[in-house]
Amino acid sequence: EQKVVLITGCSSGIGLRIAVLLARDEHKRYHVIATMRDLRKKDRLVEAAGDTYGKTLTLLSLDVCSDDSVRQCIDSVKDRHIDILINNAGVGLLGPVESISMDEMKRVFETNFFGTVRMIKEVMPDMKKRRSGHIIVMSSVMGLQGVVFNDVYTASKFAIEGFCESMAVQLLKFNVKLSLIEPGPVHTEFETKMMEEVAKMEYPGADADTVRYFKDVYIPSSIDIFEALGHTPEDIAKCTKKVIESSRPRFRNLTNSLYTPIVAMKYADETGGLSVHTFYNLLFNFGSLMHITMSILKCLTCSCLRRRTISPD
Ligand code: NAD
């Protein structure tokens, strides 16, 4: 019996790779409904899907920000039956808060938080009725630890973590599983391009020092971190497949063991001082010594976090 998997945001990146990996499953265990806002952007997915397209993979249009679009899409699925819902659609936002409009900030929450909530609200009642189903939410390490100049993006991921932590309890009663995937940096063309563009932009409303810290300190060190620690979207797809196929999937799943120290700091010092000062030093004092600090921090990684990390291989 094939499982029906519906994935949001499949025109690029992680969503595209999850769709392809599941559609290509050698035992054909999945029927993938890959959704995207704009079906005109389907070419990359269709090409990557190869001969699975039209067989184990079908396409539907879905905008997570629209009630009508979500309702129509789910209604068009046979018996509204979805075994696995993968909430992947999301947008990033970088820069000094002073220069970001309230509307831009709301757009991030509309997609990352309310978009995911809208999907769960539409699909969960049928899962509860059937006493089966698995909801996956693409969170981030930034759903657990704040990162400078990612203030609003981080907040949107914290919000969805809180929502899911609360939902998981009642869903357990209905035998519906809920899992968060928490990738560290994922190396995509999109990310590097965005950072390069960001570095060129003006930041009206922010003072010169802040703009300098952002463009000349944060952006280069962030690119370094992506290069050094970044996973590929394929890695995240493999981790997600593992979570889906686990007989007892965990609630939280970090995917990048090199990044767990970032989260471990929070548990090592519950006053929050260690996290704030370490990030401060990484950004303003050490720069290229970052990797040394990272290795020292690695020692702090508690075993509970190691257990939580799932590797792509
Ligand atoms: P991406 O931009 O390639 O993919 C995001 C997809 O979501 C895009 O295809 C985009 O079109 C789609 N999308 C945006 N708004 C939408 C809407 N309203 N309705 C439907 N689809 C919409 O980037 P990605 O890195 O593959 O991101 C996928 C998920 O992984 C996101 O939730 C992101 O927050 C998360 N994530 C990314 C990273 C990273 O470093 N790239 C790290 C951790 C978590």
Side-chain angles (χ1 to χ4, degrees):
E1 180 85 350
Q2 266 185 339
K3 287 198 168 156
V4 179
V5 188
L6 187 135
I7 312 166
T8 64
C10 292
S11 59
S12 60
I14 297 169
L16 184 152
R17 283 297 143 199
I18 298 176
V20 170
L21 187 68
L22 296 182
R24 286 185 180 280
D25 177 65
E26 55 174 341
H27 308 295
K28 297 194 169 52
R29 284 172 294 181
Y30 305 104
H31 181 84
V32 178
I33 303 172
T35 71
M36 59 184 74
R37 241 181 323 188
D38 182 356
L39 284 176
R40 282 172 302 185
K41 291 197 181 143
K42 68 175 193 301
D43 292 356
R44 259 201 288 172
L45 173 63
V46 168
E47 193 186 319
D51 60 6
T52 65
Y53 179 54
K55 291 178 185 143
T56 49
L57 184 133
T58 51
L59 283 181
L60 287 177
S61 132
L62 185 150
D63 176 352
V64 299
C65 293
S66 153
D67 287 344
D68 288 346
S69 165
V70 168
R71 171 62 58 85
Q72 273 171 25
C73 178
I74 304 302
D75 280 348
S76 74
V77 174
K78 186 170 175 285
D79 301 327
R80 291 175 57 91
H81 184 119
I82 292 159
D83 295 296
I84 302 167
L85 168 66
I86 304 183
N87 296 283
N88 164 76
V91 290
L93 184 61
L94 270 178
V97 165
E98 300 94 308
S99 55
I100 301 173
S101 72
M102 292 308 293
D103 279 345
E104 275 179 278
M105 297 187 197
K106 285 179 186 168
R107 190 180 57 90
V108 173
F109 269 77
E110 277 302 331
T111 310
N112 297 3
F113 179 69
F114 289 111
T116 302
V117 171
R118 183 176 286 109
M119 289 303 299
I120 292 177
K121 205 164 167 281
E122 191 64 33
V123 172
M124 179 186 66
D126 296 288
M127 288 183 168
K128 283 168 82 172
K129 251 183 250 162
R130 292 197 308 267
R131 298 289 193 275
S132 84
H134 196 169
I135 297 169
I136 304 277
V137 173
M138 201 51 70
S139 176
S140 167
V141 157
M142 291 195 213
L144 298 164
Q145 170 62 54
V147 174
V148 64
F149 292 126
N150 285 269
D151 318 81
V152 176
Y153 173 77
T154 296
S156 74
K157 293 293 187 186
F158 267 61
I160 203 62
E161 290 258 342
F163 177 84
C164 290
E165 206 170 270
S166 310
M167 287 300 313
V169 178
Q170 66 141 313
L171 287 178
L172 190 60
K173 190 72 185 153
F174 291 92
N175 194 39
V176 175
K177 296 167 198 153
L178 176 56
S179 304
L180 291 160
I181 315 281
E182 292 148 330
V186 182
H187 200 46
T188 59
E189 258 175 65
F190 169 85
E191 198 66 43
T192 339
K193 249 191 237 156
M194 181 171 79
M195 288 202 255
E196 280 164 7
E197 270 167 35
V198 150
K200 279 186 235 144
M201 279 157 66
E202 305 286 328
Y203 289 89
D207 63 273
D209 281 342
T210 305
V211 174
R212 190 160 50 81
Y213 295 143
F214 175 57
K215 284 187 177 181
D216 301 342
V217 184
Y218 170 77
I219 293 290
S221 72
S222 177
I223 290 173
D224 283 351
I225 290 176
F226 267 82
E227 306 261 306
L229 307 180
H231 269 166
T232 64
E234 287 82 0
D235 290 332
I236 310 307
K238 285 182 197 160
C239 291
T240 306
K241 190 164 186 275
K242 266 193 186 176
V243 171
I244 289 169
E245 290 171 359
S246 158
S247 55
R248 297 190 62 194
R250 299 170 196 153
F251 175 60
R252 285 208 163 85
N253 300 275
L254 289 161
T255 64
N256 193 330
S257 59
L258 292 169
Y259 224 70
T260 47
I262 301 288
V263 183
M265 288 191 292
K266 220 171 172 157
Y267 296 92
D269 172 18
E270 69 279 14
T271 72
L274 181 63
S275 307
V276 173
H277 291 285
T278 305
F279 272 100
Y280 177 86
N281 286 328
L282 284 177
L283 196 64
F284 296 117
N285 290 341
F286 290 113
S288 63
L289 286 179
M290 184 208 83
H291 61 281
I292 298 175
T293 317
M294 291 295 276
S295 338
I296 297 166
L297 284 173
K298 231 176 180 171
C299 307
L300 283 172
T301 309
C302 22
S303 60
C304 63
L305 285 170
R306 279 200 202 289
R307 263 209 322 273
R308 251 166 64 178
T309 308
I310 192 152
S311 80
D313 312 303

